[in-house]
Amino acid sequence: MLKLHVLASGSKGNAAIVENAATGAGVLIDCGICKRDFLERCDEAGFDPTRLEAVFITHEHGDHTKGLGVVLRGLAKLGCAPMVYVNRACVDSSSTLQKIASDFETATLGAALTLSQDENASEGRNEASVCDERVVCAAGLHVLPFATSHDAAASFGFRVESPDGDALGYITDSGIVTSAAHAALRDVRILALESNHDERMLKNGDYPYIIKKRIASELGHLSNPQATDELATLITESRAAGLRTPETVVAMHISQNNNNYDLPRAALEEGLAIASGNARILCGYQGRLTSVK
């Protein structure tokens, strides 16, 4: 079985851990928060951060990467050195990730996953192995990256599966749900789904027009209505195919300026109603932990 610990979610910083409940090991998705918050929320979640076996970076933007270096250095002092999976284009576009690639062992995330050139540096490190071209095996889990649609050098969401067949879908920072993403998000028990902004709040808010246009574009962020539609479609299609439908849905990357925590929850409840679904709806918060078992 899987556990999801959303340590932080929003425009000021993002980080989440997917835990293998059978072993206590896990993988980290993004790290845009400080070491203090990272460690405090791991402790609150009951997760031992030294059990991290891999880090997966969705894309290079600072709210997803700015805390990674200091967290990795802190983990190294505790004897933990997770492999960092990151797309090469993201590294090339980010001084933060260039520093990470220089100081820590990385593997390329994308259509083909390969180890970093400095393979000799892996001695004493906790390596995640590559199962095939796309699926990464780490912490006893299979992690499948899929493309998202965002104004980054490259961007990804993830499907995570455990050996007992449990599955989780994770998508943030995407202006639309790509066909690859939609396929990967079907048949999951836990769904972390971006519900970034309320369209009216964005339109009438204080952001400059060019920023509003970016957020609402196909390279921006999913709105509450888009999340409604995606959840309803996923449930309908999964049920028709005899697949699982989500038991828990977490609204992710909620804007503090163009949304609130009630609106995305209501949007996802609407998606459930449209598809006659039955799931618990939660929010990922900027300043506190959300855990799902």
Side-chain angles (χ1 to χ4, degrees):
M1 296 291 286
L2 298 170
K3 295 180 181 179
L4 173 65
H5 307 297
V6 181
L7 308 184
S9 184
S11 59
K12 293 183 179 179
N14 297 271
I17 291 169
V18 182
E19 179 182 353
N20 183 338
T23 66
V27 301
L28 175 64
I29 300 176
D30 289 337
C31 192
I33 60 175
C34 68
K35 184 175 71 172
R36 180 196 63 197
D37 287 346
F38 173 82
L39 292 175
E40 286 181 353
R41 288 172 197 166
C42 282
D43 183 64
E44 184 181 353
F47 178 80
D48 179 357
T50 66
R51 300 301 309 280
L52 283 176
E53 295 191 9
V55 180
F56 294 87
I57 302 300
T58 59
H59 64 293
E60 75 272 15
H61 291 166
D63 57 324
H64 296 261
T65 61
K66 63 187 177 185
L68 182 57
V70 68
V71 166
L72 288 174
R73 291 179 183 88
L75 290 175
K77 292 179 180 179
L78 299 174
C80 176
M83 179 75 79
V84 179
Y85 287 88
V86 58
N87 186 268
R88 184 54 51 186
C90 295
V91 174
D92 292 342
S93 299
S94 166
S95 59
T96 297
L97 291 178
Q98 288 167 23
K99 180 65 172 173
I100 295 297
S102 173
D103 293 349
F104 302 97
E105 191 166 14
T106 64
T108 300
L109 181 68
L113 294 163
T114 58
L115 293 177
S116 61
Q117 292 181 350
D118 189 9
E119 295 186 12
N120 292 330
S122 65
E123 184 176 354
R125 293 187 182 274
N126 193 358
E127 290 188 16
S129 62
V130 177
C131 301
D132 60 27
E133 284 191 343
R134 298 186 65 203
V135 179
V136 181
C137 298
L141 306 174
H142 289 180
V143 182
L144 172 70
F146 55 81
T148 60
S149 180
H150 196 52
D151 58 350
S155 60
F156 299 89
F158 302 98
R159 178 185 178 91
V160 184
E161 298 180 353
S162 61
D164 62 5
D166 199 13
L168 173 151
Y170 189 100
I171 180 171
T172 68
D173 297 78
S174 193
I176 58 172
V177 180
T178 67
S179 58
H182 182 72
L185 297 174
R186 295 176 64 188
D187 190 29
V188 299
R189 183 177 66 87
I190 301 171
L191 176 63
L193 175 63
E194 181 171 52
S195 191
N196 173 258
H197 60 278
D198 174 78
E199 292 172 332
R200 182 176 298 178
M201 289 179 68
L202 177 63
K203 180 179 179 180
N204 296 329
D206 294 332
Y207 281 4
Y209 171 75
I210 192 170
I211 301 298
K212 294 180 180 182
K213 185 177 180 181
R214 168 195 170 265
I215 292 171
S217 75
E218 292 191 353
L219 296 175
H221 295 273
L222 295 176
S223 67
N224 295 340
Q226 286 175 295
T228 297
D229 292 344
E230 177 62 15
L231 179 58
T233 302
L234 283 171
I235 292 173
T236 300
E237 291 184 358
S238 294
R239 184 184 292 119
L243 304 175
R244 284 170 297 193
T245 60
E247 294 179 5
T248 303
V249 183
V250 185
M252 299 290 288
H253 214 292
I254 297 170
S255 172
Q256 292 181 292
N257 296 307
N258 302 304
N259 215 348
N260 59 47
Y261 292 115
D262 292 329
L263 291 173
R265 187 181 290 111
L268 293 174
E269 293 283 2
E270 180 182 350
L272 291 178
I274 291 170
S276 300
N278 182 22
R280 180 175 56 152
I281 304 297
L282 303 175
C283 291
Y285 294 94
Q286 185 66 84
R288 61 185 174 92
L289 172 75
T290 298
S291 282
V292 181
K293 297 181 179 180

